[in-house]
Protein backbone atom coordinates (compact mmCIF):
# COMPACT_ATOMS: atom_id res chain seq x y z
CA UNK A 1 0.00 0.00 0.00
CA UNK A 2 1.27 3.47 -0.91
CA UNK A 3 2.55 5.64 1.90
CA UNK A 4 1.14 9.18 2.02
CA UNK A 5 3.18 12.35 2.44
CA UNK A 6 1.66 15.77 3.13
CA UNK A 7 3.76 18.57 1.63
CA UNK A 8 3.02 21.91 3.30
CA UNK A 9 3.98 25.26 1.80
CA UNK A 10 6.15 24.25 -1.15
CA UNK A 11 6.00 26.15 -4.41
CA UNK A 12 5.01 24.11 -7.49
CA UNK A 13 8.60 23.51 -8.75
CA UNK A 14 9.78 22.46 -5.28
CA UNK A 15 6.80 20.14 -4.86
CA UNK A 16 7.73 18.60 -8.22
CA UNK A 17 11.31 18.05 -7.07
CA UNK A 18 10.09 16.59 -3.77
CA UNK A 19 7.70 14.27 -5.61
CA UNK A 20 10.48 13.07 -7.95
CA UNK A 21 12.77 12.44 -4.98
CA UNK A 22 10.16 10.53 -2.99
CA UNK A 23 8.80 8.43 -5.86
CA UNK A 24 12.29 7.50 -7.03
CA UNK A 25 12.95 5.85 -3.66
CA UNK A 26 9.55 4.96 -2.16
CA UNK A 27 6.01 3.94 -3.12
CA UNK A 28 4.31 7.19 -2.09
CA UNK A 29 1.48 9.56 -2.87
CA UNK A 30 2.23 13.27 -2.34
CA UNK A 31 -0.61 15.51 -1.16
CA UNK A 32 -0.05 19.27 -1.47
CA UNK A 33 -1.20 21.77 1.11
CA UNK A 34 -0.67 25.52 0.64
CA UNK A 35 -0.91 26.78 4.23
CA UNK A 36 -1.29 26.03 7.94
CA UNK A 37 -5.10 26.11 8.01
CA UNK A 38 -5.44 23.65 5.12
CA UNK A 39 -2.68 21.40 6.50
CA UNK A 40 -4.24 21.15 9.97
CA UNK A 41 -7.63 20.35 8.44
CA UNK A 42 -6.12 17.60 6.27
CA UNK A 43 -4.12 16.12 9.15
CA UNK A 44 -7.32 15.85 11.21
CA UNK A 45 -9.28 14.11 8.42
CA UNK A 46 -6.71 12.10 6.46
CA UNK A 47 -3.94 9.62 7.28
CA UNK A 48 -0.33 10.49 6.46
CA UNK A 49 2.93 8.65 7.10
CA UNK A 50 5.05 11.81 6.95
CA UNK A 51 4.46 15.56 6.88
CA UNK A 52 7.03 17.85 5.27
CA UNK A 53 6.85 21.58 6.00
CA UNK A 54 8.72 24.26 4.06
CA UNK A 55 10.68 26.76 6.17
CA UNK A 56 8.74 29.62 4.55
CA UNK A 57 5.32 28.81 3.13
CA UNK A 58 5.06 29.77 -0.52
CA UNK A 59 1.42 30.95 -0.29
CA UNK A 60 2.04 33.78 2.19
CA UNK A 61 5.68 33.47 3.27
CA UNK A 62 4.59 32.65 6.82
CA UNK A 63 6.93 30.68 9.05
CA UNK A 64 6.83 26.89 8.68
CA UNK A 65 7.84 26.61 12.35
CA UNK A 66 4.32 27.83 13.23
CA UNK A 67 2.86 24.88 11.34
CA UNK A 68 5.17 22.43 13.10
CA UNK A 69 4.39 23.96 16.49
CA UNK A 70 0.63 23.79 15.87
CA UNK A 71 0.91 20.11 14.95
CA UNK A 72 3.13 19.24 17.91
CA UNK A 73 0.92 21.04 20.44
CA UNK A 74 -2.21 19.14 19.40
CA UNK A 75 -2.35 15.64 20.95
CA UNK A 76 -5.00 14.59 18.41
CA UNK A 77 -2.64 15.04 15.46
CA UNK A 78 0.94 15.04 16.78
CA UNK A 79 1.47 11.32 16.14
CA UNK A 80 2.58 11.74 12.50
CA UNK A 81 6.28 12.47 12.00
CA UNK A 82 7.03 15.98 10.70
CA UNK A 83 10.17 17.12 8.86
CA UNK A 84 11.26 20.64 7.98
CA UNK A 85 12.38 21.25 4.40
CA UNK A 86 15.24 23.74 4.74
CA UNK A 87 18.89 24.00 3.73
CA UNK A 88 19.67 25.84 6.99
CA UNK A 89 21.08 23.65 9.79
CA UNK A 90 20.01 26.17 12.46
CA UNK A 91 16.41 25.96 11.22
CA UNK A 92 16.61 22.15 11.32
CA UNK A 93 17.86 22.28 14.92
CA UNK A 94 15.04 24.63 15.92
CA UNK A 95 12.47 22.33 14.27
CA UNK A 96 13.86 19.34 16.19
CA UNK A 97 13.69 21.33 19.44
CA UNK A 98 9.94 21.88 18.92
CA UNK A 99 9.27 18.23 18.14
CA UNK A 100 10.03 17.58 14.46
CA UNK A 101 12.29 14.87 13.10
CA UNK A 102 15.55 16.14 11.60
CA UNK A 103 14.58 17.03 8.03
CA UNK A 104 16.45 17.88 4.84
CA UNK A 105 17.19 20.66 2.40
CA UNK A 106 16.18 21.00 -1.22
CA UNK A 107 19.78 20.50 -2.32
CA UNK A 108 20.14 17.21 -0.40
CA UNK A 109 17.58 14.94 -2.12
CA UNK A 110 20.08 12.42 -3.41
CA UNK A 111 22.24 12.19 -0.31
CA UNK A 112 22.11 8.62 1.05
CA UNK A 113 21.60 9.86 4.62
CA UNK A 114 18.51 11.83 3.54
CA UNK A 115 17.06 8.80 1.74
CA UNK A 116 17.70 6.77 4.91
CA UNK A 117 16.24 9.46 7.20
CA UNK A 118 13.04 9.71 5.16
CA UNK A 119 12.94 5.95 4.62
CA UNK A 120 12.39 5.33 8.35
CA UNK A 121 8.84 6.57 7.79
CA UNK A 122 8.13 5.51 4.20
CA UNK A 123 9.39 1.92 3.87
Amino acid sequence: MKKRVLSVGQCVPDDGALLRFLTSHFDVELVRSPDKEDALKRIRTEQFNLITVNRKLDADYSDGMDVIQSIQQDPDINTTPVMLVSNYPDAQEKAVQIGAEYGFGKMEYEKPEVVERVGKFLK
Side-chain angles (χ1 to χ4, degrees), residues 67-75 77-78 80-82 98-100:
V67 177
I68 294 171
Q69 203 147 30
S70 294
I71 294 167
Q72 297 305 331
Q73 291 174 343
D74 187 333
I77 61 172
N78 69 3
T80 303
V82 180
I98 62 173

Side-chain angles (χ1 to χ4, degrees), residues 5-7 10 14-15 17-19 21-22 26 30 50-55 81-89 91-93 95-96 100-119 121-122:
V5 177
L6 181 64
S7 173
Q10 302 287 347
D14 286 346
D15 255 338
L18 181 60
L19 178 64
F21 161 65
L22 292 172
F26 312 103
L30 187 72
L50 178 65
I51 301 164
T52 62
V53 179
N54 203 12
R55 186 179 63 85
V82 180
M83 287 184 166
L84 182 70
V85 179
S86 172
N87 295 316
Y88 299 109
Q92 292 293 351
E93 295 298 333
V96 168
E101 299 290 329
Y102 197 92
F104 52 88
K106 297 170 192 170
M107 310 312 279
E108 302 178 312
Y109 285 146
E110 293 311 315
K111 288 188 172 180
E113 62 269 25
V114 172
V115 175
E116 185 179 318
R117 198 175 305 144
V118 173
F121 307 107
L122 300 180

Side-chain angles (χ1 to χ4, degrees), residues 17-87:
L18 181 60
L19 178 64
R20 282 189 297 282
F21 161 65
L22 292 172
T23 56
S24 69
H25 297 283
F26 312 103
D27 186 19
V28 297
E29 171 191 1
L30 187 72
V31 177
R32 297 187 68 211
S33 179
D35 55 39
K36 180 168 110 173
E37 188 178 306
D38 179 76
L40 294 175
K41 187 176 105 183
R42 287 179 180 275
I43 296 165
R44 283 183 173 72
T45 59
E46 301 176 47
Q47 286 292 115
F48 296 101
N49 301 92
L50 178 65
I51 301 164
T52 62
V53 179
N54 203 12
R55 186 179 63 85
K56 291 291 182 184
L57 305 192
D58 184 60
D60 59 7
Y61 214 64
S62 61
D63 195 335
M65 295 292 178
D66 291 342
V67 177
I68 294 171
Q69 203 147 30
S70 294
I71 294 167
Q72 297 305 331
Q73 291 174 343
D74 187 333
D76 292 332
I77 61 172
N78 69 3
T79 56
T80 303
V82 180
M83 287 184 166
L84 182 70
V85 179
S86 172
N87 295 316

